[in-house]
Every structure is written in C-alpha cells, then in structure tokens.
Amino acid sequence: MTGRWKRTLAAAAALAVAAGLVAAVPAAAAPGSVTLVGHGYGHGRGLGQYGALGYAVDQGWSARTILDHYYNGTDQGVVGNSPISVRLTVLDSAAGTWITAGQGFTVGGVHIEAGAAARVTRDGGSWQLFTAYGGCRPGEQYGPYPLPANPTITLDADPGDTLSRMLTTCANATQYRGSLAVIADNVGGALRVVNTLPVEQYLRGVVPRESVASWADLGGGRGMQALAAQAVAARSYALSERRYAYAMTCDTIACQVYGGAGRNGASVEDRRTDFAVAASAGVVRVRGGAVVHTEFGSSTGGRTTGPSFGHVQDWGDLRSPHNTWRVELTGAAITAAYPQIGQFTALQVTRRDGEGAQGGRVLNMDVVGSAGRATVTGDQFRSAMGLRSNWFFPMQQATSVSYVKTQFSDTVYQLAQVNGWSEKMAMTWDDYVAAGYPAVGSIASNVVKYSWAPGLVAVTFWPGDPQWQWDFLDYDRWARAGYPAPAEAGWIINTSFWGNGVDPTIYAQAPDGTVTALSYAQWAAAGYPKPEVR
C-alpha cells in the first residue's frame, strides 16, 4: 500500500473519533478486577512461529526470506553435523536411573548384554555400576562394580531409526539417539545425565516439540517453509549455546524443548519435521563469522523486540490466535501475588519500550493497593500473573473507551485511548452485553484492489496502531458497505512475488489466487518488492 493510502486511512480514523462517531463510556470490569488487552505469546525476540507460518502460507515466503526478515543483520551460513551435548533435566530427580537397550551397550568400559539394564551411582567419590536382567523391570541386581569418573554409555552399533535398539532411560521411558553420560555437576556434585548426538539427529527431537508438524500440510505444502525456518533457528540457537561446563544446552523451555526419539516405544519425531531438518541440513544464521543465538517464540503480537535483531513489524503474526488477547484479573489474585500492597486498587504502567500498539511492551509498572505499591517490571508481572506476554494494556488506565465497527461487518471493537496511544479488541456478544449495550459508532475503511486481480479488500487504519486491519470482501460484505468504488492498491497483505532467476519477469499472486506477470509500472506501484527465486 502506498504512503498516500496510509495517510488517507490515518486521517479517516482520526476524523471518525474526532467527529464524535464513537461513544466514550467506561470500560466494563467486575468490581475489584482489571481487564488487560495484550499481544503475542512469549518474549517477542527473533522469529515468531505463527508469523513464520503466516508468511509461508499466506505470502509464499521461503524459509530464507522468513529468517532474513526476523534476524536482521545476520546472514546465512553452513556448518557440519557436529555433536551437541544436552543435559536431560527431566532426569535430574532420577539420577541413577536404570538404562537399557535392545542391543548390547557399554557403560564406562563394562559391556552389558542386549535387554539387560544398568544403573550408575556414586558413593562418596567412588563411581559404581549395578546390572540386572529384565530391562526396565529389573530382576535380581548384580554389583557394585567400580567405574571411571563420569562414565559414558554407548551402543555397540548404530540403531538407525529402530527405537527398541536405542538407549532407553527407564525413569521417563524415553529412547535417545547417540550416547549418554552420567556427570557429577561441579556445583554441588549432583548427578546429571547428558545426551550427546549429532546436531541433525538432535533437531529431529526438537522441531516437532517447538513447532507444529502439521503446519507442513497447510497452504498446499507451503507451510513446510515455516518448519524449515524453525529448523534453522533451532540449529543456530543450539550451536550458539554454552549453557554448562559439561553440556552445551538442556532439554526444556529454558533452552529449547527436546524430547529424544521416542517415548514408551512410540516415535516422538515426525516425518514432516524430519524433512524440514533434512532440507535445511547444516544451515545456520551467522554474524561476523559466528553462529547467532537465534531466539524464537510462539507469537510476536505483530512486532518483534530487540536488542539483538531490532524491532521488526510482523504482518505474518495476524495468523496467530494470540495476536491480540484479553484477560480479566481479579483483585484477589493480584493481592495474593503482591500481599505487601494490601487490597488491590490499580495497575499503573509507567514505562514502555515505545514499539507497537499502545506504546509497546511494558518495561516498568506499579501494582497499587490500599497499603502501598509494588514497583515491578512487565516481565515480573507477566510471570506472577501467568500472562501470555509483557505487551499488555490495563483498560483501567484508559482515558476514554469507545465502541466502533466498520461499515461491512457487525463485529464491535472496543477502542481504548491513553496518552496518544490506542488499543482495540474485538468483542463477543457477552462482552458487549456486559458493557451495558453501549452506543456504537463507525470507523472509516478504504476498499482497494489490484488492477490485475478481481479481489476486493477493506483496509482499516486504527489510530495509534501501526498494524493495519485487512478484511477480504465477498459480494455481500461489499454490498452492505454501499458498493464503494475500490481504489488501486500498490500492495495487499498475503501477496507473493517471485521469478525464476533467469527470466526477468516478476510474477505476483494475489490473495485470491490470481497470478499475473507484472508490468514494470505494476511492480513499481507495489514498492519494487524483492521476488522469491523459484
């Protein structure tokens, strides 16, 4: 969309509010409670998984283009299939667990027969081995036998993809590729279990845990590009980790989630994520020759945060169910989290990062009560109250609350304004009833289309929100708006552009599926988008 249309939409939205087309009424919330409207799920740094899906499926982006977008200032690099060591924190409370395999294996130089089990313990400074027949249902135990410090457990042969032949930790019934080692943590001396395996095998147990394998099937298979982008981000993240003296990374959300190869003899890997890993084998993101710590999260809410990669507008996140959310916190719950404040009375956001709707993510805030206040960060409040992200807006802090809808839809939006920022939230019928059936005004939208495609799109520019609202119109919705004449658009969301790398022709696919070889003027009107090479 051209700057002219952006200015037109901004002016129209401002006029709708200034002309009194919206009614200012108080925000509805139960006594002693506060309603929050928020954006995103997670920290918002780096790749947004739902955004990657949106770009792949709705705009036809490749994995590399997705990664270029989110990891500003980095480039693509290639590494070998090096080993990675993973602390299995899931076994921290089960140190000394029995380990078995359907083929022979070795524990610190001692051979164990197929189907038998072994357990490593430490008594004082001495390492010991116990063995038993019966696998994870051990019978009579034998031992102890002396072992070298920090013994490694290795299989006699490569098990391939046969789960029954892999090393199985009985405490969590999980099959692991590669080797296991029992390590004495140099902090406190507790026993840790570390899984070491080639990074490409490790990723087979990570990508389906961190993303959704079925996304590969969306958009006629275009969703696979989102999984490939996830594989590259996960590979780079893992290889840039130096978490412990004895392991590079761990197996939980504190690092990235890793589930091994199988659980109870059933695979936890997936053929689609396996393909995404294989298709991107060795690809990482680099900066200055070093692999970059590529953080990622579920949903950015429409804008990423820094400082590593800057603030990036994330149109793809419109696909996310967490792009905008609403929650009501009771005063009792807030008081329970901050008992020093007495009875809760108000939330006061004092500083934001200045990026995105309502001023962006909360940096500092006060939780106010009858006995005083607690000054906390947005992250601390998010953690204490179980919020999806630190990007939220207390409706209690709004200077005015209005209710509006567009000409072509019955959806009513609650529009809150404070200090020059505004926030909107689509309301359910129950929300509208709870608000007391407030008067509903109208906000202006522009209807646009490409000269080379028939689809009509209504674009609404909400005040204080850099993320435009796009609504694709069928005939009935266009009719109820009064058949407005469409203006020619330069760009519409979910449009993809590509070429074949040899022929200079640039092709564009509109959201309605129309494919056209663009003229130079049409390409210029779209803002000279860089085409994908297909």
Side-chain angles (χ1 to χ4, degrees), residues 157-308:
D158 186 347
D161 291 330
T162 305
L163 293 172
S164 63
R165 296 179 64 84
M166 296 180 190
L167 292 171
T168 296
T169 52
C170 297
N172 63 344
T174 299
Q175 290 75 50
Y176 291 98
R177 299 178 184 276
S179 66
L180 299 174
V182 183
I183 304 291
D185 195 328
N186 56 12
V187 180
L191 298 187
R192 309 298 187 199
V193 180
V194 175
N195 182 200
T196 300
L197 70 169
V199 67
E200 300 302 322
Q201 292 186 6
Y202 160 76
L203 290 171
R204 294 177 65 179
V206 169
V207 180
R209 305 278 74 75
E210 287 286 1
S211 198
V212 183
S214 61
W215 283 359
D217 304 326
L218 301 179
R222 293 194 300 275
M224 180 61 75
Q225 296 299 316
L227 296 186
Q230 174 68 69
V232 174
R235 183 181 294 110
S236 303
Y237 184 94
L239 293 176
S240 66
E241 283 266 85
R242 295 294 182 270
R243 187 71 58 147
Y244 314 101
Y246 54 85
M248 293 172 65
T249 188
C250 68
D251 60 348
T252 70
I253 194 171
C255 302
Q256 57 185 358
V257 181
Y258 167 60
R263 186 80 181 272
N264 291 313
S267 177
V268 297
E269 299 169 346
D270 189 281
R271 59 175 177 80
R272 294 161 294 194
T273 48
D274 283 351
F275 183 86
V277 170
S280 66
V283 178
V284 291
R285 301 301 295 190
V286 296
R287 178 189 284 148
V291 178
V292 176
H293 196 62
T294 46
E295 291 182 280
F296 54 86
S298 174
S299 170
T300 68
R303 193 168 182 83
T304 66
T305 188
S308 296

Side-chain angles (χ1 to χ4, degrees), residues 68-115:
D68 286 344
H69 176 71
Y70 285 110
Y71 298 116
N72 185 40
T74 73
D75 203 353
Q76 180 168 292
V78 179
V79 297
N81 190 14
S82 59
I84 186 167
S85 51
V86 187
R87 172 185 169 184
L88 302 180
T89 60
V90 69
L91 296 173
D92 280 355
S93 61
T97 181
W98 288 97
I99 295 171
T100 188
Q103 63 169 297
F105 60 101
T106 301
V107 182
V110 178
H111 190 266
I112 310 296
E113 295 181 12

Side-chain angles (χ1 to χ4, degrees), residues 12 15 191 220 320 328 367-368 387 429 450 474:
L15 285 171
L191 298 187
S320 170
E328 185 172 307
V367 186
V368 184
L387 303 179
W429 173 251
Y450 289 124
D474 57 21

Side-chain angles (χ1 to χ4, degrees), residues 497-507 531-534:
F497 301 87
W498 73 89
N500 60 22
V502 178
D503 184 342
T505 303
I506 296 175
Y507 297 89
E532 293 281 338
V533 177
R534 296 185 180 178

